[in-house]
Amino acid sequence: MVTALIFAGGTGQRMNARAKPKQFLELHGKPIILYTLEHFEEHPEVDNIVVVCLESWIDELKLWLKRYDFRKITQIVSGGTTGQASIYNGLKAMEGSCQQEDIVLIHDGVRPLINKELISVNIDKVKKCGTAITVEPVIESVIYSEQGDLINAVPERSQMYIAKAPQSFRYEAIWSLHQKAQQEGLLAVDSAHLCNIYGVELHMVISPPNNMKITSPADYYIFRALYEARESQQILGI
């Protein structure tokens, strides 16, 4: 079984959106999170979807899901104070329905410009290798500095990548790591970082272009332009 775990528990403080969290900002009358969820809802290999949402917005999300007739969403879970805590809550909620070898794709609710092929490649990679971390090659030099002033290293750019999403695993493997981190009070940037800390072998999947995370007002306007460009390509064939 394949489950998509979509976490959208953040308040979007960098967005400066006073009325709504970033995942509920609308484009053409539909919240960003629904654009994200549609990719998993429509994918034939995804069996069900678990959403981690701000508790105060769960009822609002349910109304939107009903309006757009989503069928695969089996649970909506309250988010935590961090992304890591939200993922923990989602994985915990899946305990009763997931088997050890089931595949879970962990994805940001505000990363709506993925595609069917990326989801498929993630699933195939986990089947073959046990892990699949979506990455994007860097296009500029990366600087490493221990103190934030002196440059300690400039790594070879051809070896550098940016972590994206989905980040995909066997359920028992990633759930056990999140439990361990919770017990030890360990904080990680994302699940890939958590796996790296605990020495888990990670395998890469190359991201398609524009797999962006919407965290600021500028990101929203870029998303709108890219989405409308995609729509024009489909309608006009350009």
Side-chain angles (χ1 to χ4, degrees):
M1 184 171 72
V2 176
T3 298
L5 173 55
I6 312 301
F7 64 102
T11 56
Q13 294 178 356
R14 283 173 287 182
M15 184 62 74
N16 298 321
R18 297 178 182 179
K20 295 181 179 180
K22 56 189 177 182
Q23 55 271 35
F24 286 95
L25 293 177
E26 295 177 21
L27 175 64
H28 303 314
K30 185 166 67 176
I32 290 170
I33 188 171
L34 264 64
Y35 289 94
T36 303
L37 289 170
E38 282 175 339
H39 293 290
F40 298 94
E41 174 76 19
E42 295 167 4
H43 197 285
E45 293 183 85
V46 175
D47 299 297
N48 65 310
I49 303 168
V50 174
V51 183
V52 184
C53 181
L54 281 168
E55 186 172 5
S56 57
W57 282 79
I58 288 177
D59 289 341
E60 177 81 4
L61 177 60
K62 287 180 177 178
L63 290 174
W64 282 109
L65 296 175
K66 184 176 181 181
R67 181 180 302 178
Y68 283 89
D69 197 29
F70 281 81
R71 303 291 181 89
K72 289 185 180 179
I73 295 171
T74 55
Q75 295 187 78
I76 302 176
V77 183
S78 296
T81 55
T82 64
Q84 182 175 326
S86 291
I87 293 170
Y88 177 92
N89 290 353
L91 291 170
K92 182 174 178 59
M94 293 161 59
E95 273 190 306
S97 58
C98 282
Q99 303 297 315
Q100 291 187 0
E101 293 301 302
D102 286 351
I103 294 172
V104 54
L105 286 74
I106 300 174
H107 192 73
D108 302 292
V110 288
R111 201 183 287 272
L113 290 174
I114 58 169
N115 58 34
K116 179 181 179 181
E117 290 73 25
L118 179 59
I119 295 172
S120 296
V121 173
N122 266 263
I123 293 169
D124 290 343
K125 195 77 167 186
V126 176
K127 288 178 179 178
K128 295 174 183 176
C129 302
T131 59
I133 307 301
T134 304
V135 301
E136 181 179 281
V138 300
I139 58 174
E140 298 188 69
S141 294
V142 175
I143 301 297
Y144 171 70
S145 174
E146 294 178 0
Q147 302 297 329
D149 178 23
L150 179 68
I151 293 176
N152 299 101
V154 183
E156 176 59 44
R157 190 170 67 184
S158 64
Q159 299 174 348
M160 296 293 106
Y161 298 82
I162 300 169
K164 299 279 187 172
Q167 298 184 358
S168 308
F169 312 90
R170 295 289 184 184
Y171 173 71
E172 179 57 30
I174 192 61
W175 175 219
S176 63
L177 288 186
H178 273 274
Q179 288 177 290
K180 186 176 182 180
Q182 176 89 345
Q183 292 164 2
E184 297 177 357
L186 188 149
L187 297 177
V189 175
D190 56 18
S191 294
H193 183 210
L194 183 65
C195 288
N196 183 250
I197 291 170
Y198 286 123
V200 175
E201 186 176 85
L202 297 172
H203 296 266
M204 297 193 304
V205 167
I206 300 299
S207 176
N210 304 318
N211 182 10
M212 62 184 296
K213 182 179 179 181
I214 300 171
T215 59
S216 70
D219 295 333
Y220 172 82
Y221 291 111
I222 293 169
F223 161 58
R224 185 172 72 179
L226 290 169
Y227 180 82
E228 290 174 351
R230 284 188 180 184
E231 290 291 289
S232 296
Q233 285 181 318
Q234 292 177 10
I235 296 169
L236 303 176
I238 59 175

